[in-house]
Every structure is written in structure tokens, then in C-alpha cells.
Amino acid sequence: MSKKVYADAKSALDGLLHDGMTILAGGFGLCGIPEHMILAVRDSGVKDLTIASNNAGVDDFGLGLLLQTRQVKKMISSYVGENKTFEAQFLAGELELEFNPQGTLAERCRAGGAGIPAFYTKTGVGAIIAEGKETKEFDGQTYVMERGLTGDLAIIKAWKGDKAGNVVFRKTARNFNAPMATAGKVCVVEVEELVEPGELEPDGIHLPSIYTHRIFQGQDFEKRIEFRTVSEA
Amino acid sequence: MAWTRDEMCARAAQELEDGFYVNLGIGMPTKVANFIPDGMDVNFQSENGMLGMGSFPTDNEVDADLINAGKQTITETPKSVYFDSAQSFAMIRGGHINMSILGALQVAENGDLANWMIPGKMVKGMGGAMDLVAGVKRVVILMDHNAKDGSAKLLKECNLPLTGAGVVDDIITELGLFRIGEGGVHIQELAPDVSVDEVRERSEATIVTQ
């Protein structure tokens, strides 16, 4: 039995949580979020968290649950539009917010995970998010420097994983999960199906096991849909 | 007769070309996908990690793992491919996407764009808009010509926080198609019975005729 395999979210996060830590949380909207680990973080009572996540969940699901319990000190996100709790706490000055353009947030994680401390991008040049940041000209164009991002912990949701820690995502639930997994000092992955090594096609693995420190199979995923849009059959 | 919203979307769709990779913004731009000319093959990118986006699913096709950038359920097509957010924005920032069609709060005659924030009101965030306008080859704005209070949105300078500086190529409103160019905003095409005077009255930007 691999030492990476844990029984559930609570045991998989045991010893990893502390006040004031930075957590990278995968997902886009409510798609591909580590719903079991978010609940376990809430139940642990850990506080003053800085959470990097593209969105902040909705009021009663996803990261919105950690806002309700006021465990979050700061969010690093690109879009927080679907959450009234967030709005109330932000306007009351109880919650810090660092907006990152979505591609900048993704690249900060990719860079952080690849040992790259900073990079230059055209995104945000001329906008308030570039104020106070170093700029540089390359080939006659202005670029702004952005820092690589790492976190104390990455909480990641995937479809299938093997007991060695190799991971496959499903459809658009991959999103930030892959780059954030590489940028956590410790990365814990929750999967819908945990299989034996050898059962996943080596050529089809999205996240190599080296990035996965702990893995567990979640039970009864809710996988809530934010906007159910359908067409006539 | 100014263009209806459907006519605006149809006009925007005529700017697409066969084989284009295109990113559509949330709201009215999403509807441009309904007006692709027959026989034209266009690949839609959804910045949450998909190329070859399909239409909305039927009730029994709904899949929580398959959404667009507006968090709506969608479907895949035979050409679909999925990837992570870093790869998605490498496509966008690397100049591989041919066109992006986006909404706007304000556009200035130098191509500056404001579409993500109104100070003093709740700020939702820029999402992928800053990356798209910085990296995509051609940026087309699809918007109402005036704000709800009647004020001009086509301005000499934006007074809202910018999404990008000098990034807009074309603007489609109910009055016509306009292009950012030398000396201001150039009229490329007017909707039926819309006059240059009406465009000037309803804009603050310098309007240039051919």
C-alpha cells in the first residue's frame, strides 16, 4: 500500500493545516473544486487563511463555506462575482482581495511550481493592477513583471488517480487543478476513483505522481452546477 | 433603423473567417456563435480549458464537469480538446487565438478598453478579459452604443479603470461597425438609415468618415 493513500479528507489533511497559511484551491466556479477538502478545512477551524483560487465559490458551497465561517483573511482571485458573503465582507473591510487576471494567476502557479520566481507579461499593462509593479521593454513592447506563486498547501480535485499519485482530470474540471498541484509545497488530491498503479494509461496521465503527496477517494461528490443551461432535445 | 441585438451578433459573425480560433466573451458576444455563416468552420475556445466548444446540452446530457467560462453547462464536439488553465492562457497570451469578441463599458478613440470595474460599486473582477485583450490577434467589441443613462461609451478617453491600453481593433454597436484608426474612430459601415450625424451625437470620440 502506497504511503500516499489516505482514507478521507480529514486524515489526508492531518498535520498540514495551520493558522495564517496559504492554500491553493483548484477549480473554476464550482467545476472541479476539492469539495471534501474544503469541508475538512472548515471543520478543522484553521483561520487567517490566504486562499488563491480563481473564484470564491457561492454562498453555501465551495470556498463560500470558509467565508461564512470567517476563516479567510485574503483571497487571490480573478472573479468573485457569484458570492454575496464575499461582497459583504469585502465592503466591510473584513476580507482582503488581490485581483489577478485569470491567465496571470494560472501562469503564476505554473511558474511557481516550475521554480520560476517571476515572469513578464503584456497582460495588465496600463491597468491599475500593474501599478507599483516593475515594467520592462522587450522588442519595443512594454511588459509587467509578475511573481511566481507557491502555497503551503494545494488542494486538488481530479477524476481518477492511482495509488502512486498519478492523476487524470475530466473535461473542463481540469482548469486550475493541474498548475496549482505543482505549486503547493504539499499537494493533496481528492479523486472520484482511486485505482491500482498500472490501471491508468501512462501516456494519458495529466499530473505525474511526483507532484502528488497525498491522495484519497472522496465519497458522494455533490458536483453542484452553477448555471444549468439546456437546449431543447 | 438601428440593428437589433441579433443583427449586431450576425454582423459580428461576418467578421469571422474559416478556420479561425475564437474566444467569445460572456453575455451578448456568446450569442455570436448562433450566427456562424453556413459552411464556415470556426473553433470556439473557452478559457476555462477547452477548444471546440459545443452548444447547450439537452437535459440528459448535462455534465457538471463540462462548463464554459460563464459557468454554463455546454457540450463537446468531435473536435473538442481539454487542457488546464495555464495551457489555455498560453494560447491566449501567445497570440494563437485569431479573434476575441467582448463586451465593453467604455472604449476610447485610441483603442483603450474599460470593461471590468466600476469604482464604488462591487467589483466582480476581470476574469480572463485582461489576458484576452493583451494577447489575442484581433479584439472586436460588441456593445450598446450608449449606456443605460444615455451617456456616451465611445469616448476620447476612458474614465473607468482600463482593461487594456490601445487594445481594441473594431467596435460593433446598433449604429454600425467602427474601427480604431488614425485620428479617431473610423466608420466602416452604418446600420440602415443611421446617419453620420447620429453617430457623432451619440459619441464623444472623434468620428472619422472614409
Side-chain angles (χ1 to χ4, degrees), chain A residues 28-29 31-32 55 78-82 86-87 90-91 99-104 106-107 110 119 121-129 157 170-176 178-179 192 223-233, chain B residues 47-50 55-74 76 82-86 89-90 93 116-117 120-132 134-135 161-165:
Chain A
F28 180 95
C31 181
N55 313 94
S78 85
Y79 189 87
V80 294
E82 323 297 350
F86 188 104
E87 182 172 357
F90 177 71
L91 292 175
F99 269 131
N100 281 189
Q102 195 175 141
T104 293
E107 185 65 10
R110 195 202 68 81
F119 58 93
T121 178
K122 267 197 283 188
T123 298
V125 171
I128 51 177
I129 59 141
K157 158 71 178 31
R170 186 170 177 274
K171 301 185 188 277
T172 57
R174 195 183 318 186
N175 56 60
F176 279 85
E192 293 180 45
K223 294 175 70 166
R224 193 184 291 187
I225 292 171
E226 207 157 334
F227 300 114
R228 185 188 177 93
T229 45
V230 294
S231 60
E232 300 302 314
Chain B
E47 67 264 27
N48 53 317
M50 181 183 195
S55 53
F56 293 149
T58 58
D59 222 30
N60 57 9
E61 287 176 328
V62 168
D63 184 338
D65 290 336
L66 184 45
I67 63 168
N68 64 17
K71 288 125 188 166
Q72 298 170 309
T73 46
I74 51 166
E76 63 186 22
Y82 302 105
F83 34 83
D84 68 55
S85 298
F89 282 91
R93 294 150 76 122
W116 77 282
M117 174 185 187
K121 296 195 178 180
M122 177 55 190
V123 182
K124 294 186 171 197
M126 73 288 282
M130 286 189 184
D131 306 284
L132 286 162
L162 295 188
T163 307

Side-chain angles (χ1 to χ4, degrees), chain B residues 132-209:
Chain B
L132 286 162
V133 300
V136 171
K137 287 184 185 134
R138 184 170 167 211
V139 174
V140 176
I141 298 300
L142 188 61
M143 68 174 192
D144 293 328
H145 202 89
N146 297 88
K148 286 206 177 74
D149 66 1
S151 61
K153 295 173 71 167
L154 213 44
L155 304 172
K156 291 190 184 305
E157 281 180 31
C158 295
N159 51 41
L160 292 172
L162 295 188
T163 307
V167 295
V168 174
D169 296 293
D170 299 280
I171 306 113
I172 294 169
T173 76
E174 69 273 26
L175 300 187
L177 171 66
F178 309 94
R179 184 157 295 161
I180 300 296
E182 191 74 29
V185 177
H186 295 241
I187 297 177
Q188 301 295 113
E189 186 178 328
L190 290 173
D193 302 324
V194 171
S195 67
V196 174
D197 284 345
E198 180 176 1
V199 174
R200 290 208 163 109
E201 274 167 32
R202 290 176 56 180
S203 312
E204 186 210 85
T206 308
I207 302 297
V208 182
T209 53

